Amino acid sequence: MENTYSKERYSKNDRKILRSRVIEIAWPAVTELVLVSLFGAIDMMMAGQIGSIGTTAITAIGLTNQPIFLAMAVFQALNIGGTALVSRFIGAKKESEANNTTMQLLYITFFLSFFVVIPAVMLAKQIYIFMGADKEVIDIGLIYFKIVLYGIFPQNFALAIAAVLRGAGDTKTPMMINIFSNLLNVFGNYVLIFGRLGFPELGVTGAGVSTLISRIISMVMLGWILFNGKSKIKLNFKNKYKVDLTTIKRLMRIGFPSALEQFFLRTGNLFFVRVVATLGTVIYAAHQVSLSILSMSFTSGMAFGMAASTLIGQSLGAEDKELAEEYGKEVRFLGSIVATAIGVIFFIFGPQIVALYSNDPEVIKRASFVLKMIAIIQPFQSSQLIYAGGLRGAGDTRWPLISTLAGIWFVRVTLAYLFINGLGYGLIGAWLAICIDQIIRYFILLWRFRVGKWKHITV
């Protein structure tokens, strides 16, 4: 039996080279996701400043997040399959197969988008009602919700292209384009929400219009990268790429467990949000502010997880299983350092961070305490995201599914209902459930990584 934690092969100098490679791949993804998350937070901060309806505006935007995430779950899963296949092909120096995989991913993204988005737009009001929105929230947010749903079309294409570029080891291009489009979104929010520079004052609806425009621009820019011949993934309009059912089946086979994972994650979070929404608009606003800040803390773990997926996939494509494992350990080590630093900032400066979102004393008080809980779980949260990313890069998508099912449904949703409705812990009970969920998922994925069976999976 192989020793999964053998260190004989790698000297200190080798480890420095590994670490520099991890940093080279990870820093653009970290920068991109942190700034994108920050821009998303600015969206909510701006919405919170809309006169007397700021708190309601935050709730109106916040209640749309989980349904939209659920609608995008299948595409995120396919993108995981795209990253895994492309990274293997690039590692094995099979560029033509990487190109074909990219085109097949775009075909299936185009086809499925219609079947997801159009019904969601038609049922937008019913979805809002299901999420627990009251009449005031629906009146303010319904048009915003529909516009953002249409934005899923360009967003899906942009995410698919970014996924294959990352699989090829190019994390800088998606970073630069995503930052630019989000800067444009923030500017659009400023002029359209508040009616600046001669633009109409559209309130929450303006945030939706700005989001749609920025996503279209992101899609166009990323598409241009694929066809200009300057990346490792090179598509050409002269090549008549036929629908390749074999490759599509491979994408779906890898992505199916991830699709189930996303389904369980999003539906679980949806029911979790419904439980929290019963606590009232002010408490839900505090919860939504806390979630926005939590998403910023997720970014480092997700970014290092992307790096783990790329590096492990390429190493396995080059048939170097030991190198794949060493990359996994190196990424987790660096990710934990960053996560701990984030936790310290949240713990010390919680009230000041929350005050950027809302000037409501009750929201600040409740969300600040939640931030201390978020701070404590940072190393567990980051590590479970990194292990999950590494396993997905190896094509082992089943165990991230198992960890999510156990964590979200058997821990988060169940304990939230017990803590809120049974024991009366309120918002603290909801976040205690989130903390326990993150820790459970960490231990499941740590065990799977240590066992080492992911190194022998065929994609």
Side-chain angles (χ1 to χ4, degrees):
M1 183 177 177
E2 65 180 307
N3 179 5
T4 60
Y5 277 80
S6 172
K7 294 184 179 179
E8 286 82 0
R9 175 178 167 182
Y10 294 93
S11 65
K12 287 185 177 180
N13 187 57
D14 292 328
R15 291 188 174 280
K16 287 181 180 178
I17 295 173
L18 288 181
R19 188 163 295 176
S20 66
R21 177 62 175 156
V22 171
I23 293 172
E24 179 188 356
I25 294 293
W27 81 259
V30 172
T31 303
E32 174 189 355
L33 291 180
V34 167
L35 288 176
V36 167
S37 216
L38 178 60
F39 293 143
I42 292 172
D43 278 3
M44 196 158 290
M45 292 175 194
M46 288 181 172
Q49 304 304 316
I50 303 176
S52 61
I53 64 166
T55 300
T56 306
I58 290 175
T59 301
I61 292 175
L63 284 176
T64 67
N65 287 340
Q66 293 308 322
I68 288 172
F69 290 151
L70 179 59
M72 293 182 61
V74 64
F75 302 99
Q76 292 173 320
L78 288 170
N79 293 342
I80 287 169
T83 299
L85 280 179
V86 167
S87 64
R88 288 283 185 112
F89 288 141
I90 293 297
K93 302 188 183 306
K94 297 179 179 179
E95 286 81 6
S96 63
E97 293 187 45
N99 293 338
N100 181 58
T101 298
T102 299
M103 200 66 227
Q104 303 309 312
L105 179 60
L106 294 179
Y107 281 153
I108 195 169
T109 296
F110 177 81
F111 177 77
L112 290 177
S113 290
F114 285 95
F115 291 92
V116 172
V117 175
I118 301 303
V121 172
M122 295 173 65
L123 297 171
K125 184 174 182 179
Q126 288 75 12
I127 294 171
Y128 241 152
I129 293 171
F130 176 78
M131 291 300 299
D134 57 27
K135 185 178 183 302
E136 184 182 8
V137 168
I138 294 173
D139 289 342
I140 290 174
L142 186 58
I143 297 177
Y144 164 86
F145 190 16
K146 289 182 178 181
I147 293 171
V148 173
L149 284 171
Y150 280 120
I152 291 176
F153 278 109
Q155 185 178 19
N156 282 340
F157 283 99
L159 290 174
I161 296 169
V164 297
L165 289 176
R166 292 188 184 104
D170 181 4
T171 53
K172 292 181 181 178
T173 299
M175 174 196 71
M176 291 187 292
I177 292 176
N178 222 337
I179 290 173
F180 172 78
S181 67
N182 277 275
L183 279 170
L184 186 63
N185 185 32
V186 170
F187 174 76
N189 283 342
Y190 173 73
V191 298
L192 293 175
I193 291 176
F194 304 109
R196 310 296 191 200
L197 302 179
F199 286 87
E201 183 178 347
L202 300 178
V204 174
T205 300
V209 173
S210 177
T211 297
L212 176 61
I213 293 172
S214 67
R215 287 175 178 173
I216 291 172
I217 291 173
S218 177
M219 176 191 70
V220 171
M221 293 178 70
L222 283 164
W224 181 81
I225 293 295
L226 283 185
F227 290 95
N228 74 356
K230 294 182 180 179
S231 67
K232 290 183 179 179
I233 305 297
K234 297 179 177 67
L235 301 183
N236 193 321
F237 285 115
K238 295 180 181 179
N239 294 336
K240 297 181 179 179
Y241 293 98
K242 297 181 180 179
V243 174
D244 182 353
L245 293 179
T246 300
T247 299
I248 289 175
K249 287 178 182 177
R250 292 178 75 180
L251 286 168
M252 296 183 73
R253 188 180 71 245
I254 298 169
F256 181 70
S258 292
L260 285 179
E261 178 192 354
Q262 289 296 318
F263 175 78
F264 288 130
L265 174 65
R266 301 310 175 189
T267 53
N269 276 333
L270 188 147
F271 279 92
F272 175 79
V273 164
R274 287 194 71 202
V275 173
V276 178
T278 63
L279 296 173
T281 300
V282 173
I283 294 180
Y284 185 79
H287 173 68
Q288 190 57 48
V289 168
S290 302
L291 280 179
S292 179
I293 297 169
L294 178 69
S295 71
M296 293 182 65
S297 72
F298 260 84
T299 55
S300 67
M302 290 173 64
F304 279 105
M306 290 177 184
S309 185
T310 297
L311 293 169
I312 286 175
Q314 290 184 0
S315 298
L316 293 177
E319 299 184 354
D320 194 335
K321 297 173 183 176
E322 188 176 354
L323 178 61
E325 183 172 335
E326 293 300 324
Y327 270 133
K329 291 187 288 183
E330 235 9 274
V331 175
R332 192 211 64 82
F333 173 73
L334 293 174
S336 295
I337 293 175
V338 174
T340 301
I342 292 172
V344 171
I345 293 170
F346 284 177
F347 198 91
I348 296 174
F349 299 105
Q352 290 82 2
I353 295 172
V354 175
L356 295 173
Y357 289 80
S358 174
N359 55 12
D360 187 318
E362 189 68 15
V363 171
I364 294 174
K365 176 184 175 182
R366 291 179 181 275
S368 297
F369 187 84
V370 168
L371 251 63
K372 294 186 184 301
M373 301 174 70
I374 294 174
I376 293 170
I377 63 165
Q378 283 305 297
F380 297 99
Q381 173 184 286
S382 175
S383 294
Q384 68 96 355
L385 290 168
I386 291 167
Y387 284 134
L391 292 174
R392 292 187 191 107
D396 187 1
T397 51
R398 183 179 301 175
W399 279 91
L401 162 63
I402 292 171
S403 71
T404 298
L405 177 60
I408 292 291
W409 276 102
F410 293 105
V411 177
R412 182 181 297 195
V413 174
T414 303
L415 289 184
Y417 188 85
L418 173 65
F419 291 156
I420 293 173
N421 296 326
L423 300 176
Y425 289 171
L427 186 62
I428 301 303
W431 281 87
L432 182 59
I434 290 177
C435 291
I436 297 172
D437 159 34
Q438 294 290 338
I439 293 170
I440 293 294
R441 280 196 267 175
Y442 162 74
F443 281 111
I444 291 173
L445 294 170
L446 171 64
W447 170 81
R448 180 62 178 178
F449 188 84
R450 284 178 177 265
V451 167
K453 291 183 178 180
W454 52 270
K455 289 182 280 187
H456 309 284
I457 289 176
T458 301
V459 300

